[in-house]
Amino acid sequence: MSSGNMKTCTRLFLFMVHVQLLVNPVHCLLEENEIKNSNDPPVFVRRNNSRRCRPTPPDIYGPYYEPRTKRLTQYCTGDRDSYHNHTLTVHGHVYADDCRTGIPNTKIEVWQADVDGRYHWTDCRGYIMTDRNGYYEFTTVNPGRYTIDRAHRDTRPRHIHYKVHGGREFMGVVTQMYFRGDPFLGNDDPCRICSSERNELITRPSLYCRKGVCMKTVKFDIVLERKPRGRESPTEMFNVIKV
């Protein structure tokens, strides 16, 4: 991060201490041009010392999807106290199948658990739209882990659900975003049909703290597969792991 951006983050964190975050969202991110011109965007997969572009892997819907949600830029606002030291800012691009061309005006549905690992039907869910460059950004809280068995032993890794709409030209994708360093990724994920082993879905959080107030940021880019010719239609098609 440049020194100018670091100064901006410092000012904003001082501001966050005195003003409620839910009313004044914090944006301490790289400038968009810096993000677009990154030399090593995470959407590329390294193999045999070369880079190749491929679509973002799908994942399951899970049992908590709700199609009727509001357009938001802040999530999990039901518990104002949870934002203190649990703030997470997520940003990235939705790219075409070249991993470089941003797709504008793309609808991204987001849903997640709160910091205690609980899902809500009216909180921690909504949708955002990409801008003219395919860029998106939202502020939320770090999702909590939760167990999926009655004995409370099988713990799912922290994750955020995505449903990205592709429209007429691209396939949409239903997927999940995970966090590097979580001990329940991959083979330790009790959801055997989930995709938490896929590197393309695992983000690298960056932590920034100022006077006891901390915020994590993660970059999560999404690549959509182009629809086969002759299959363009108003009805969207999604890549999703079927349960």
Side-chain angles (χ1 to χ4, degrees), residues 80-145:
R80 301 170 79 90
D81 293 336
S82 69
Y83 265 83
H84 183 70
N85 279 346
H86 291 285
T87 308
L88 175 70
T89 298
V90 185
H91 66 104
H93 286 82
V94 176
Y95 286 118
D97 53 356
D98 61 359
C99 291
R100 295 197 178 278
T101 304
I103 306 177
N105 303 316
T106 300
K107 182 179 180 179
I108 305 173
E109 297 181 69
V110 174
W111 66 103
Q112 67 170 83
D114 64 16
V115 295
D116 297 315
R118 297 189 300 257
Y119 281 87
H120 306 265
W121 293 114
T122 58
D123 195 20
C124 297
R125 61 179 68 243
Y127 75 91
I128 48 181
M129 303 293 294
T130 62
D131 67 11
R132 62 181 182 178
N133 297 310
Y135 178 78
Y136 76 92
E137 175 184 311
F138 63 90
T139 304
T140 183
V141 296
N142 292 298
R145 301 187 186 98

Coordinates of all heavy atoms in Angstrom, one line a residue, residues 80-145:
R80 N -24.5 -3.8 16.4 CA -23.5 -2.7 16.2 C -22.2 -3.0 17.0 O -21.2 -2.6 16.5 CB -24.2 -1.4 16.7 CG -25.4 -1.0 15.9 CD -26.1 0.2 16.6 NE -25.5 1.4 16.2 CZ -25.9 2.1 15.2 NH1 -26.9 1.7 14.4 NH2 -25.3 3.3 14.9
D81 N -22.3 -3.6 18.1 CA -21.1 -3.9 18.9 C -20.1 -4.8 18.2 O -18.9 -4.8 18.5 CB -21.4 -4.4 20.3 CG -22.2 -3.4 21.2 OD1 -22.0 -2.2 20.9 OD2 -22.9 -3.8 22.1
S82 N -20.7 -5.7 17.3 CA -19.8 -6.7 16.7 C -18.8 -6.1 15.7 O -17.9 -6.7 15.3 CB -20.7 -7.7 16.0 OG -21.3 -7.2 14.8
Y83 N -19.1 -4.8 15.3 CA -18.2 -4.2 14.4 C -16.8 -3.8 15.1 O -15.8 -3.6 14.4 CB -18.8 -2.9 13.8 CG -19.4 -3.2 12.5 CD1 -20.7 -3.8 12.4 CD2 -18.7 -3.0 11.3 CE1 -21.3 -4.1 11.2 CE2 -19.3 -3.3 10.0 CZ -20.6 -3.8 10.0 OH -21.1 -4.1 8.8
H84 N -16.8 -3.7 16.4 CA -15.6 -3.3 17.1 C -14.6 -4.5 17.1 O -14.9 -5.5 17.6 CB -15.9 -2.9 18.5 CG -14.7 -2.4 19.3 ND1 -14.1 -1.2 19.0 CD2 -14.0 -3.0 20.3 CE1 -13.0 -1.1 19.8 NE2 -12.9 -2.2 20.6
N85 N -13.5 -4.3 16.4 CA -12.5 -5.4 16.2 C -12.9 -6.6 15.5 O -12.3 -7.6 15.5 CB -12.0 -5.8 17.6 CG -10.9 -4.8 18.2 OD1 -10.4 -3.9 17.4 ND2 -10.6 -4.9 19.5
H86 N -14.0 -6.5 14.7 CA -14.4 -7.6 13.9 C -14.7 -7.2 12.4 O -15.2 -7.9 11.6 CB -15.7 -8.3 14.4 CG -15.5 -9.0 15.7 ND1 -14.9 -10.2 15.8 CD2 -15.9 -8.7 16.9 CE1 -14.9 -10.6 17.0 NE2 -15.5 -9.7 17.8
T87 N -14.3 -5.9 12.1 CA -14.6 -5.4 10.8 C -13.8 -6.0 9.7 O -12.6 -6.3 9.8 CB -14.3 -3.8 10.8 OG1 -14.9 -3.3 11.9 CG2 -14.8 -3.2 9.5
L88 N -14.5 -6.3 8.6 CA -13.9 -6.9 7.4 C -14.3 -6.1 6.2 O -15.5 -5.9 6.0 CB -14.3 -8.3 7.3 CG -13.8 -9.1 6.0 CD1 -12.3 -9.3 6.1 CD2 -14.5 -10.4 5.9
T89 N -13.4 -5.6 5.4 CA -13.7 -5.0 4.1 C -13.3 -5.9 3.0 O -12.1 -6.4 2.9 CB -13.0 -3.6 4.0 OG1 -13.5 -2.8 5.0 CG2 -13.3 -3.0 2.6
V90 N -14.2 -6.3 2.1 CA -14.0 -7.1 1.0 C -14.1 -6.3 -0.3 O -15.0 -5.5 -0.5 CB -15.0 -8.3 0.9 CG1 -14.7 -9.3 -0.2 CG2 -15.1 -9.0 2.3
H91 N -13.1 -6.5 -1.2 CA -13.1 -5.8 -2.5 C -12.5 -6.7 -3.6 O -11.8 -7.7 -3.3 CB -12.3 -4.5 -2.3 CG -10.9 -4.7 -2.1 ND1 -9.9 -4.5 -3.1 CD2 -10.2 -5.0 -1.0 CE1 -8.7 -4.7 -2.6 NE2 -8.8 -5.0 -1.4
G92 N -12.8 -6.3 -4.8 CA -12.2 -7.1 -5.9 C -12.9 -6.7 -7.2 O -13.6 -5.7 -7.3
H93 N -12.7 -7.5 -8.2 CA -13.3 -7.3 -9.5 C -14.1 -8.6 -10.0 O -13.7 -9.7 -9.6 CB -12.3 -7.0 -10.6 CG -11.7 -5.6 -10.5 ND1 -10.7 -5.2 -9.6 CD2 -12.0 -4.4 -11.2 CE1 -10.4 -3.9 -9.8 NE2 -11.2 -3.4 -10.7
V94 N -15.1 -8.4 -10.8 CA -15.6 -9.5 -11.5 C -15.1 -9.3 -13.0 O -15.3 -8.3 -13.6 CB -17.2 -9.4 -11.5 CG1 -17.7 -10.5 -12.4 CG2 -17.7 -9.5 -10.1
Y95 N -14.3 -10.4 -13.4 CA -13.7 -10.3 -14.7 C -14.3 -11.2 -15.7 O -14.9 -12.3 -15.3 CB -12.2 -10.8 -14.5 CG -11.3 -9.8 -13.8 CD1 -10.7 -10.1 -12.6 CD2 -11.0 -8.5 -14.4 CE1 -9.8 -9.2 -12.0 CE2 -10.2 -7.6 -13.8 CZ -9.6 -8.0 -12.6 OH -8.7 -7.1 -12.0
A96 N -14.1 -10.9 -16.9 CA -14.5 -11.8 -18.0 C -13.4 -12.9 -18.1 O -12.5 -13.0 -17.3 CB -14.5 -11.0 -19.4
D97 N -13.6 -13.8 -19.1 CA -12.7 -15.0 -19.1 C -11.3 -14.8 -19.5 O -10.5 -15.7 -19.6 CB -13.4 -16.1 -20.0 CG -13.7 -15.6 -21.4 OD1 -13.5 -14.4 -21.6 OD2 -14.2 -16.4 -22.2
D98 N -10.9 -13.5 -19.7 CA -9.5 -13.2 -19.9 C -8.8 -12.8 -18.6 O -7.6 -12.5 -18.6 CB -9.3 -12.1 -20.9 CG -10.0 -10.8 -20.5 OD1 -10.6 -10.7 -19.5 OD2 -9.9 -9.8 -21.3
C99 N -9.5 -12.7 -17.5 CA -9.0 -12.3 -16.2 C -8.5 -10.9 -16.1 O -7.8 -10.5 -15.2 CB -7.9 -13.3 -15.7 SG -8.5 -15.0 -15.3
R100 N -8.9 -10.1 -17.1 CA -8.5 -8.7 -17.1 C -9.6 -7.7 -17.4 O -9.5 -6.5 -17.0 CB -7.3 -8.5 -18.1 CG -6.1 -9.3 -17.7 CD -4.8 -8.8 -18.4 NE -3.7 -9.5 -18.0 CZ -2.9 -9.3 -16.9 NH1 -3.3 -8.3 -16.1 NH2 -1.9 -10.0 -16.6
T101 N -10.6 -8.1 -18.1 CA -11.7 -7.2 -18.5 C -12.8 -7.3 -17.5 O -13.4 -8.3 -17.3 CB -12.2 -7.6 -19.9 OG1 -11.2 -7.6 -20.9 CG2 -13.3 -6.6 -20.3
G102 N -12.9 -6.1 -16.8 CA -14.0 -6.1 -15.8 C -15.4 -6.1 -16.4 O -15.6 -5.5 -17.5
I103 N -16.3 -6.7 -15.7 CA -17.7 -6.8 -16.2 C -18.5 -5.8 -15.4 O -18.7 -6.0 -14.2 CB -18.3 -8.2 -16.1 CG1 -17.4 -9.3 -16.7 CG2 -19.7 -8.3 -16.6 CD1 -17.8 -10.7 -16.6
P104 N -19.0 -4.8 -16.0 CA -19.7 -3.7 -15.3 C -21.2 -4.1 -15.0 O -21.7 -5.1 -15.5 CB -19.7 -2.5 -16.3 CG -19.7 -3.2 -17.6 CD -18.9 -4.4 -17.5
N105 N -21.7 -3.5 -14.0 CA -23.1 -3.6 -13.6 C -23.5 -5.1 -13.3 O -24.6 -5.6 -13.7 CB -24.0 -3.0 -14.7 CG -23.7 -1.6 -14.9 OD1 -23.6 -0.8 -14.0 ND2 -23.7 -1.2 -16.2
T106 N -22.6 -5.8 -12.7 CA -22.8 -7.2 -12.3 C -23.4 -7.3 -10.9 O -22.9 -6.7 -10.0 CB -21.5 -8.0 -12.4 OG1 -21.0 -7.9 -13.7 CG2 -21.8 -9.5 -12.0
K107 N -24.5 -8.0 -10.8 CA -25.1 -8.2 -9.5 C -24.4 -9.3 -8.7 O -24.2 -10.4 -9.2 CB -26.6 -8.6 -9.6 CG -27.4 -8.7 -8.3 CD -28.8 -9.1 -8.6 CE -29.6 -9.2 -7.2 NZ -31.0 -9.5 -7.5
I108 N -24.0 -9.0 -7.5 CA -23.4 -10.0 -6.6 C -24.2 -10.2 -5.3 O -24.3 -9.2 -4.5 CB -21.9 -9.6 -6.2 CG1 -21.1 -9.3 -7.5 CG2 -21.3 -10.6 -5.3 CD1 -19.7 -8.7 -7.1
E109 N -24.8 -11.3 -5.1 CA -25.5 -11.6 -3.9 C -24.5 -12.2 -2.8 O -23.7 -13.0 -3.2 CB -26.7 -12.6 -4.1 CG -27.7 -12.0 -5.1 CD -28.9 -13.0 -5.2 OE1 -29.6 -13.3 -4.3 OE2 -29.0 -13.6 -6.4
V110 N -24.7 -11.7 -1.6 CA -23.7 -12.1 -0.5 C -24.6 -12.5 0.7 O -25.5 -11.8 1.0 CB -22.8 -10.9 -0.2 CG1 -22.0 -11.2 1.0 CG2 -21.9 -10.5 -1.4
W111 N -24.2 -13.6 1.3 CA -24.8 -13.9 2.6 C -23.7 -14.7 3.4 O -22.8 -15.3 2.9 CB -26.0 -14.7 2.4 CG -26.0 -16.1 1.8 CD1 -26.0 -17.3 2.5 CD2 -25.8 -16.4 0.4 NE1 -25.9 -18.3 1.6 CE2 -25.8 -17.8 0.3 CE3 -25.7 -15.6 -0.8 CZ2 -25.7 -18.5 -0.9 CZ3 -25.6 -16.3 -2.0 CH2 -25.6 -17.7 -2.1
Q112 N -23.8 -14.5 4.7 CA -22.8 -15.1 5.6 C -23.3 -15.2 7.0 O -24.4 -14.7 7.4 CB -21.6 -14.2 5.7 CG -21.9 -12.8 6.3 CD -20.6 -12.0 6.6 OE1 -20.1 -11.3 5.7 NE2 -20.1 -12.1 7.8
A113 N -22.6 -15.9 7.9 CA -22.9 -16.0 9.3 C -22.3 -14.8 10.0 O -21.4 -14.1 9.5 CB -22.2 -17.3 9.9
D114 N -22.9 -14.5 11.2 CA -22.4 -13.4 12.0 C -21.1 -13.8 12.7 O -20.6 -14.9 12.5 CB -23.5 -12.8 12.9 CG -23.9 -13.9 14.0 OD1 -23.2 -14.9 14.2 OD2 -25.0 -13.6 14.6
V115 N -20.6 -13.0 13.6 CA -19.3 -13.3 14.3 C -19.5 -14.5 15.2 O -18.5 -15.2 15.5 CB -18.8 -12.1 15.1 CG1 -18.5 -10.9 14.2 CG2 -19.8 -11.7 16.1
D116 N -20.7 -14.9 15.6 CA -20.9 -16.0 16.4 C -21.3 -17.3 15.6 O -21.6 -18.3 16.2 CB -22.0 -15.7 17.4 CG -21.6 -14.6 18.4 OD1 -20.5 -14.6 18.9 OD2 -22.5 -13.7 18.6
G117 N -21.2 -17.2 14.3 CA -21.5 -18.4 13.5 C -23.0 -18.6 13.3 O -23.4 -19.7 12.9
R118 N -23.8 -17.6 13.4 CA -25.3 -17.7 13.3 C -25.7 -17.0 12.0 O -25.3 -15.9 11.6 CB -26.0 -17.1 14.4 CG -25.8 -17.8 15.8 CD -26.8 -17.3 16.8 NE -26.6 -15.8 17.0 CZ -26.0 -15.3 18.0 NH1 -25.5 -16.1 19.0 NH2 -25.9 -14.0 18.1
Y119 N -26.6 -17.7 11.2 CA -27.2 -17.1 10.1 C -28.6 -16.4 10.5 O -29.3 -16.9 11.3 CB -27.5 -18.1 9.0 CG -26.3 -18.5 8.2 CD1 -25.4 -19.5 8.6 CD2 -26.0 -17.9 7.0 CE1 -24.3 -19.9 7.9 CE2 -24.8 -18.2 6.3 CZ -24.0 -19.2 6.7 OH -22.9 -19.6 6.0
H120 N -28.8 -15.3 9.8 CA -30.1 -14.5 10.0 C -30.8 -14.4 8.7 O -30.2 -14.3 7.6 CB -29.8 -13.2 10.6 CG -28.9 -13.2 11.8 ND1 -29.5 -13.2 13.1 CD2 -27.6 -13.2 12.0 CE1 -28.5 -13.2 14.0 NE2 -27.3 -13.3 13.3
W121 N -32.1 -14.3 8.7 CA -32.9 -14.2 7.5 C -33.0 -12.7 7.0 O -33.4 -12.5 5.9 CB -34.2 -14.8 7.6 CG -34.1 -16.3 7.8 CD1 -34.5 -17.1 8.9 CD2 -33.6 -17.3 6.8 NE1 -34.2 -18.4 8.6 CE2 -33.7 -18.5 7.4 CE3 -33.1 -17.1 5.5 CZ2 -33.3 -19.7 6.7 CZ3 -32.7 -18.3 4.8 CH2 -32.8 -19.5 5.4
T122 N -32.7 -11.8 7.9 CA -32.9 -10.4 7.5 C -31.6 -9.6 7.7 O -31.5 -8.4 7.4 CB -34.0 -9.7 8.4 OG1 -33.7 -9.8 9.8 CG2 -35.3 -10.3 8.1
D123 N -30.5 -10.2 8.3 CA -29.3 -9.6 8.5 C -28.1 -10.4 7.9 O -28.3 -11.6 7.6 CB -29.0 -9.4 10.0 CG -27.9 -8.4 10.3 OD1 -27.6 -7.6 9.4 OD2 -27.4 -8.5 11.4
C124 N -27.0 -9.8 7.6 CA -25.8 -10.4 7.0 C -26.1 -11.0 5.6 O -25.5 -12.0 5.2 CB -25.3 -11.6 7.9 SG -24.8 -11.0 9.6
R125 N -27.0 -10.3 4.9 CA -27.2 -10.7 3.5 C -27.8 -9.5 2.7 O -28.4 -8.6 3.3 CB -28.2 -11.9 3.5 CG -29.6 -11.6 4.1 CD -30.5 -12.8 4.0 NE -30.1 -13.9 4.9 CZ -29.7 -15.1 4.4 NH1 -29.8 -15.4 3.1 NH2 -29.4 -16.0 5.2
G126 N -27.5 -9.6 1.4 CA -27.9 -8.5 0.5 C -27.2 -8.7 -0.8 O -26.6 -9.7 -1.1
Y127 N -27.2 -7.6 -1.6 CA -26.5 -7.7 -2.9 C -25.9 -6.3 -3.2 O -26.2 -5.3 -2.6 CB -27.4 -8.1 -4.0 CG -28.4 -7.0 -4.5 CD1 -28.0 -6.1 -5.6 CD2 -29.7 -6.9 -4.0 CE1 -28.9 -5.2 -6.0 CE2 -30.6 -5.9 -4.4 CZ -30.2 -5.1 -5.5 OH -31.1 -4.1 -5.9
I128 N -24.8 -6.4 -4.0 CA -24.1 -5.2 -4.5 C -24.0 -5.3 -6.0 O -24.2 -6.3 -6.6 CB -22.7 -5.1 -3.8 CG1 -22.0 -6.5 -3.9 CG2 -22.8 -4.6 -2.4 CD1 -20.6 -6.5 -3.3
M129 N -23.6 -4.2 -6.6 CA -23.4 -4.1 -8.1 C -22.0 -3.6 -8.3 O -21.4 -2.8 -7.6 CB -24.4 -3.1 -8.7 CG -25.9 -3.4 -8.5 SD -26.4 -5.0 -9.2 CE -26.3 -4.5 -11.0
T130 N -21.4 -4.2 -9.4 CA -20.0 -3.7 -9.8 C -20.2 -2.4 -10.5 O -21.2 -2.1 -11.1 CB -19.3 -4.7 -10.7 OG1 -20.1 -4.9 -11.9 CG2 -19.2 -6.1 -10.0
D131 N -19.1 -1.6 -10.5 CA -19.1 -0.3 -11.2 C -18.8 -0.5 -12.6 O -18.7 -1.7 -13.1 CB -18.2 0.7 -10.5 CG -16.7 0.3 -10.6 OD1 -16.3 -0.6 -11.3 OD2 -15.9 0.9 -9.9
R132 N -18.5 0.5 -13.3 CA -18.2 0.4 -14.8 C -16.9 -0.3 -15.1 O -16.7 -0.8 -16.2 CB -18.1 1.8 -15.4 CG -17.0 2.7 -14.8 CD -17.0 4.1 -15.5 NE -15.8 4.8 -15.0 CZ -15.6 6.1 -15.4 NH1 -16.4 6.6 -16.3 NH2 -14.5 6.7 -14.9
N133 N -16.1 -0.5 -14.1 CA -14.8 -1.3 -14.3 C -14.9 -2.7 -13.8 O -13.9 -3.4 -13.7 CB -13.6 -0.6 -13.7 CG -13.4 0.8 -14.3 OD1 -13.3 0.9 -15.5 ND2 -13.3 1.8 -13.5
G134 N -16.1 -3.1 -13.3 CA -16.2 -4.4 -12.7 C -15.8 -4.5 -11.3 O -15.7 -5.6 -10.7
Y135 N -15.6 -3.4 -10.6 CA -15.1 -3.4 -9.3 C -16.2 -3.4 -8.3 O -17.3 -2.8 -8.5 CB -14.2 -2.1 -9.0 CG -13.7 -1.9 -7.7 CD1 -12.6 -2.6 -7.2 CD2 -14.3 -1.0 -6.8 CE1 -12.1 -2.5 -5.9 CE2 -13.8 -0.8 -5.5 CZ -12.7 -1.6 -5.1 OH -12.2 -1.4 -3.8
Y136 N -16.0 -4.1 -7.1 CA -17.0 -4.1 -6.1 C -16.3 -3.9 -4.7 O -15.1 -4.2 -4.6 CB -17.9 -5.3 -6.1 CG -17.2 -6.6 -5.6 CD1 -17.3 -6.9 -4.2 CD2 -16.3 -7.3 -6.4 CE1 -16.6 -8.0 -3.7 CE2 -15.7 -8.5 -5.9 CZ -15.8 -8.8 -4.5 OH -15.1 -9.9 -4.1
E137 N -17.1 -3.6 -3.7 CA -16.5 -3.4 -2.4 C -17.7 -3.4 -1.4 O -18.7 -2.8 -1.6 CB -15.8 -2.1 -2.3 CG -15.3 -1.7 -0.9 CD -14.6 -0.4 -0.9 OE1 -13.7 -0.1 -1.7 OE2 -14.9 0.5 0.0
F138 N -17.5 -4.1 -0.2 CA -18.5 -4.0 0.8 C -17.8 -4.2 2.2 O -16.7 -4.7 2.3 CB -19.6 -5.0 0.7 CG -19.2 -6.4 0.7 CD1 -19.2 -7.1 1.9 CD2 -18.9 -7.1 -0.4 CE1 -18.9 -8.5 2.0 CE2 -18.5 -8.5 -0.4 CZ -18.5 -9.1 0.8
T139 N -18.4 -3.7 3.2 CA -17.9 -3.8 4.6 C -18.8 -4.7 5.4 O -20.0 -4.6 5.3 CB -17.8 -2.5 5.3 OG1 -17.0 -1.6 4.5 CG2 -17.2 -2.6 6.7
T140 N -18.2 -5.6 6.2 CA -19.0 -6.6 7.0 C -18.2 -6.9 8.2 O -17.4 -6.1 8.7 CB -19.3 -7.8 6.1 OG1 -20.1 -8.7 6.9 CG2 -18.1 -8.6 5.7
V141 N -18.5 -8.0 8.8 CA -17.8 -8.5 10.0 C -17.1 -9.9 9.6 O -17.6 -10.5 8.7 CB -18.6 -8.7 11.2 CG1 -19.2 -7.3 11.7 CG2 -19.8 -9.7 11.0
N142 N -16.1 -10.2 10.3 CA -15.5 -11.6 10.1 C -16.5 -12.6 10.4 O -17.1 -12.7 11.5 CB -14.3 -11.8 11.0 CG -13.1 -10.8 10.6 OD1 -12.6 -10.9 9.5 ND2 -12.8 -10.0 11.5
P143 N -16.9 -13.5 9.4 CA -17.9 -14.5 9.7 C -17.4 -15.5 10.7 O -16.2 -15.9 10.7 CB -18.1 -15.2 8.3 CG -16.8 -14.9 7.6 CD -16.3 -13.6 8.1
G144 N -18.2 -16.0 11.6 CA -17.8 -17.0 12.6 C -17.9 -18.4 12.1 O -18.6 -18.6 11.1
R145 N -17.2 -19.3 12.7 CA -17.3 -20.7 12.3 C -18.6 -21.3 13.0 O -19.1 -20.8 14.0 CB -16.1 -21.5 12.8 CG -14.8 -21.0 12.2 CD -13.7 -21.9 12.6 NE -12.4 -21.4 12.2 CZ -11.5 -20.7 12.9 NH1 -11.9 -20.5 14.2 NH2 -10.4 -20.3 12.5

